[in-house]
Amino acid sequence: MASFEPCRTKMVAEGIAPSAISAFESTFKSLVSGATGIIPESTISPVPELVHTDSLSIEPDSELLASTVVLKLNGGLGTGMGLDKAKSLLKVKNDETFLDLTAKQVMCMRKEFGQNVKFMLMNSFSTSDDTLEFFRTKYPNLAAEEGLEMMQNKVPKIDAKTFEPATCETDPSNEWCPPGHGDLYAALIGSGRLAALLKGGFKYMFVSNSDNLGATLDLKILTHFATTDASFMMECCERTENDKKGGHLAIRNEDKHLILRESAMCADEDEKDFQDITKHKFFNTNNLWIRLDKLQEIVDKCGGFIPLPMIKNNKTVDPKDDSSQKVVQLETAMGAAIECFEGASAVIVPRTRFAPVKKCNDLLLLRSDAYIITEDFRPVLNPACGGKAPVIS
């Protein structure tokens, strides 16, 4: 079996945190053991009906905000939209960027409830400088808050034949790749943020993508999460034909745990079942609620990291050169942690909480008069659209 030591040596030399090294070692061992990351249809069952947040009759408890932290994943570049900087710095409405609206959402909630809702960003080495400069210039009070930024880790690309760290003499930066947003947990541990948050009395964390402006800190959902005493809660939407190629929630037959099956985890022969939206009804919005004390318990139990299922991507070491060295990029998904938490749950949320911008068409739609910005800085569909967003092709 291939040794992990060359990867460990490379990562230590780069100053990667021990928690990130341990997490990567776990996925590396899955790779070299012959694991494919595939979840066969025969090993899972569909999730029955879930509670819809629109049906919750619970009284929102604003006192919970004092022990809650909002974290936005902000590691992505807008390369697919012609940018070479943080995607969240794209202008959305009236010269305001994703980060403008996010910052104003946080400040609006602080003012409304008289609670200093803690706000954090997980940046990458590609987005950190631009993002921090943006906050220092436009929101200096937020920029000055302790612990605003947490850095995403990076991991080596693996030679597809030898399983040793890949090399790229023309551009050594090509030897590294992001480990997927499952790195959230290793970053929280390795940066010391998890320990600091727990020491500061924080118990709940709400995580979402920075390009999803619909994912605001909803007090009713937070109260439901707290009162049900769930260790982890995933916001899901009901799948439509447009969502059938994306991942879905399922129940693992072996232990009845909720799990997440991404498209890369589906065997070709199971594709029909995977895309059956009447069978597998719910998909992960990547809006997650996490009990920080329960996360610490898992970390302690597992020796300093949280073990997540491997996602294997076959690439070339130079993404711009198809003839360059064949490599494997190992990733994990943060939503996959649902299988690690005892007492994890999921809820259905309205589509208004899932409005990510992945393509230029999505951005153009958001910029158009089909969407308006509310008083609390959320983009919502213009009532003139009659409840149905126009399609931009």
Side-chain angles (χ1 to χ4, degrees), residues 273-284:
D273 287 300
F274 181 86
Q275 294 190 17
D276 186 348
I277 62 173
T278 64
K279 181 178 185 179
H280 296 297
K281 299 178 182 179
F282 310 112
F283 73 88
N284 170 31

PDB file of all heavy atoms in Angstrom, residues 273-284:
ATOM      1  N   ASP A 273     -31.832   5.635 -10.578  1.00  0.00           N
ATOM      2  CA  ASP A 273     -32.370   5.830  -9.223  1.00  0.00           C
ATOM      3  C   ASP A 273     -31.908   7.160  -8.643  1.00  0.00           C
ATOM      4  O   ASP A 273     -32.672   7.854  -7.974  1.00  0.00           O
ATOM      5  CB  ASP A 273     -31.925   4.683  -8.304  1.00  0.00           C
ATOM      6  CG  ASP A 273     -32.652   3.392  -8.604  1.00  0.00           C
ATOM      7  OD1 ASP A 273     -33.890   3.372  -8.504  1.00  0.00           O
ATOM      8  OD2 ASP A 273     -31.978   2.410  -8.959  1.00  0.00           O
ATOM      9  N   PHE A 274     -30.639   7.496  -8.886  1.00  0.00           N
ATOM     10  CA  PHE A 274     -30.081   8.747  -8.371  1.00  0.00           C
ATOM     11  C   PHE A 274     -30.890   9.940  -8.862  1.00  0.00           C
ATOM     12  O   PHE A 274     -31.146  10.886  -8.121  1.00  0.00           O
ATOM     13  CB  PHE A 274     -28.616   8.875  -8.814  1.00  0.00           C
ATOM     14  CG  PHE A 274     -27.927  10.116  -8.329  1.00  0.00           C
ATOM     15  CD1 PHE A 274     -27.316  10.151  -7.089  1.00  0.00           C
ATOM     16  CD2 PHE A 274     -27.884  11.261  -9.112  1.00  0.00           C
ATOM     17  CE1 PHE A 274     -26.678  11.303  -6.627  1.00  0.00           C
ATOM     18  CE2 PHE A 274     -27.245  12.405  -8.669  1.00  0.00           C
ATOM     19  CZ  PHE A 274     -26.643  12.427  -7.423  1.00  0.00           C
ATOM     20  N   GLN A 275     -31.299   9.900 -10.117  1.00  0.00           N
ATOM     21  CA  GLN A 275     -32.008  11.032 -10.708  1.00  0.00           C
ATOM     22  C   GLN A 275     -33.530  10.951 -10.531  1.00  0.00           C
ATOM     23  O   GLN A 275     -34.255  11.823 -11.009  1.00  0.00           O
ATOM     24  CB  GLN A 275     -31.675  11.136 -12.196  1.00  0.00           C
ATOM     25  CG  GLN A 275     -30.226  11.489 -12.467  1.00  0.00           C
ATOM     26  CD  GLN A 275     -29.954  11.838 -13.920  1.00  0.00           C
ATOM     27  OE1 GLN A 275     -30.867  12.118 -14.682  1.00  0.00           O
ATOM     28  NE2 GLN A 275     -28.693  11.852 -14.301  1.00  0.00           N
ATOM     29  N   ASP A 276     -34.004   9.936  -9.840  1.00  0.00           N
ATOM     30  CA  ASP A 276     -35.447   9.778  -9.617  1.00  0.00           C
ATOM     31  C   ASP A 276     -35.884  10.696  -8.468  1.00  0.00           C
ATOM     32  O   ASP A 276     -35.717  10.385  -7.296  1.00  0.00           O
ATOM     33  CB  ASP A 276     -35.769   8.325  -9.274  1.00  0.00           C
ATOM     34  CG  ASP A 276     -37.264   8.055  -9.165  1.00  0.00           C
ATOM     35  OD1 ASP A 276     -38.050   9.035  -9.130  1.00  0.00           O
ATOM     36  OD2 ASP A 276     -37.658   6.878  -9.114  1.00  0.00           O
ATOM     37  N   ILE A 277     -36.469  11.835  -8.828  1.00  0.00           N
ATOM     38  CA  ILE A 277     -36.826  12.834  -7.812  1.00  0.00           C
ATOM     39  C   ILE A 277     -38.063  12.446  -7.025  1.00  0.00           C
ATOM     40  O   ILE A 277     -38.372  13.055  -6.000  1.00  0.00           O
ATOM     41  CB  ILE A 277     -37.012  14.231  -8.444  1.00  0.00           C
ATOM     42  CG1 ILE A 277     -38.167  14.219  -9.448  1.00  0.00           C
ATOM     43  CG2 ILE A 277     -35.714  14.705  -9.079  1.00  0.00           C
ATOM     44  CD1 ILE A 277     -38.518  15.602  -9.981  1.00  0.00           C
ATOM     45  N   THR A 278     -38.779  11.438  -7.472  1.00  0.00           N
ATOM     46  CA  THR A 278     -39.924  10.949  -6.697  1.00  0.00           C
ATOM     47  C   THR A 278     -39.458   9.945  -5.636  1.00  0.00           C
ATOM     48  O   THR A 278     -40.177   9.674  -4.675  1.00  0.00           O
ATOM     49  CB  THR A 278     -40.964  10.265  -7.601  1.00  0.00           C
ATOM     50  OG1 THR A 278     -40.382   9.096  -8.207  1.00  0.00           O
ATOM     51  CG2 THR A 278     -41.430  11.210  -8.692  1.00  0.00           C
ATOM     52  N   LYS A 279     -38.267   9.416  -5.804  1.00  0.00           N
ATOM     53  CA  LYS A 279     -37.706   8.464  -4.844  1.00  0.00           C
ATOM     54  C   LYS A 279     -36.800   9.182  -3.847  1.00  0.00           C
ATOM     55  O   LYS A 279     -37.029   9.130  -2.637  1.00  0.00           O
ATOM     56  CB  LYS A 279     -36.919   7.378  -5.584  1.00  0.00           C
ATOM     57  CG  LYS A 279     -36.314   6.321  -4.668  1.00  0.00           C
ATOM     58  CD  LYS A 279     -35.598   5.240  -5.479  1.00  0.00           C
ATOM     59  CE  LYS A 279     -35.093   4.125  -4.580  1.00  0.00           C
ATOM     60  NZ  LYS A 279     -34.401   3.050  -5.360  1.00  0.00           N
ATOM     61  N   HIS A 280     -35.778   9.849  -4.362  1.00  0.00           N
ATOM     62  CA  HIS A 280     -34.878  10.638  -3.526  1.00  0.00           C
ATOM     63  C   HIS A 280     -35.301  12.098  -3.670  1.00  0.00           C
ATOM     64  O   HIS A 280     -34.939  12.774  -4.626  1.00  0.00           O
ATOM     65  CB  HIS A 280     -33.428  10.422  -3.950  1.00  0.00           C
ATOM     66  CG  HIS A 280     -32.956   9.005  -3.754  1.00  0.00           C
ATOM     67  ND1 HIS A 280     -32.888   8.412  -2.509  1.00  0.00           N
ATOM     68  CD2 HIS A 280     -32.552   8.062  -4.645  1.00  0.00           C
ATOM     69  CE1 HIS A 280     -32.443   7.170  -2.640  1.00  0.00           C
ATOM     70  NE2 HIS A 280     -32.241   6.931  -3.917  1.00  0.00           N
ATOM     71  N   LYS A 281     -36.072  12.575  -2.695  1.00  0.00           N
ATOM     72  CA  LYS A 281     -36.821  13.824  -2.855  1.00  0.00           C
ATOM     73  C   LYS A 281     -36.077  15.087  -2.431  1.00  0.00           C
ATOM     74  O   LYS A 281     -36.473  16.185  -2.812  1.00  0.00           O
ATOM     75  CB  LYS A 281     -38.118  13.740  -2.038  1.00  0.00           C
ATOM     76  CG  LYS A 281     -39.065  12.631  -2.453  1.00  0.00           C
ATOM     77  CD  LYS A 281     -40.296  12.623  -1.546  1.00  0.00           C
ATOM     78  CE  LYS A 281     -41.244  11.500  -1.885  1.00  0.00           C
ATOM     79  NZ  LYS A 281     -42.412  11.504  -0.968  1.00  0.00           N
ATOM     80  N   PHE A 282     -35.013  14.939  -1.633  1.00  0.00           N
ATOM     81  CA  PHE A 282     -34.456  16.129  -0.980  1.00  0.00           C
ATOM     82  C   PHE A 282     -32.979  16.319  -1.305  1.00  0.00           C
ATOM     83  O   PHE A 282     -32.203  15.357  -1.314  1.00  0.00           O
ATOM     84  CB  PHE A 282     -34.628  16.021   0.540  1.00  0.00           C
ATOM     85  CG  PHE A 282     -36.029  15.664   0.952  1.00  0.00           C
ATOM     86  CD1 PHE A 282     -36.308  14.439   1.529  1.00  0.00           C
ATOM     87  CD2 PHE A 282     -37.074  16.551   0.746  1.00  0.00           C
ATOM     88  CE1 PHE A 282     -37.594  14.095   1.908  1.00  0.00           C
ATOM     89  CE2 PHE A 282     -38.368  16.226   1.115  1.00  0.00           C
ATOM     90  CZ  PHE A 282     -38.635  14.994   1.685  1.00  0.00           C
ATOM     91  N   PHE A 283     -32.591  17.569  -1.559  1.00  0.00           N
ATOM     92  CA  PHE A 283     -31.174  17.868  -1.787  1.00  0.00           C
ATOM     93  C   PHE A 283     -30.664  18.865  -0.750  1.00  0.00           C
ATOM     94  O   PHE A 283     -31.424  19.635  -0.170  1.00  0.00           O
ATOM     95  CB  PHE A 283     -30.924  18.377  -3.212  1.00  0.00           C
ATOM     96  CG  PHE A 283     -31.390  19.782  -3.487  1.00  0.00           C
ATOM     97  CD1 PHE A 283     -30.571  20.873  -3.236  1.00  0.00           C
ATOM     98  CD2 PHE A 283     -32.653  20.024  -4.028  1.00  0.00           C
ATOM     99  CE1 PHE A 283     -30.994  22.170  -3.504  1.00  0.00           C
ATOM    100  CE2 PHE A 283     -33.087  21.309  -4.303  1.00  0.00           C
ATOM    101  CZ  PHE A 283     -32.250  22.384  -4.033  1.00  0.00           C
ATOM    102  N   ASN A 284     -29.361  18.834  -0.560  1.00  0.00           N
ATOM    103  CA  ASN A 284     -28.683  19.678   0.415  1.00  0.00           C
ATOM    104  C   ASN A 284     -28.462  21.075  -0.158  1.00  0.00           C
ATOM    105  O   ASN A 284     -27.868  21.236  -1.217  1.00  0.00           O
ATOM    106  CB  ASN A 284     -27.344  19.024   0.776  1.00  0.00           C
ATOM    107  CG  ASN A 284     -26.438  19.916   1.600  1.00  0.00           C
ATOM    108  OD1 ASN A 284     -26.911  20.748   2.376  1.00  0.00           O
ATOM    109  ND2 ASN A 284     -25.141  19.744   1.439  1.00  0.00           N
TER     110      ASN A 284
END
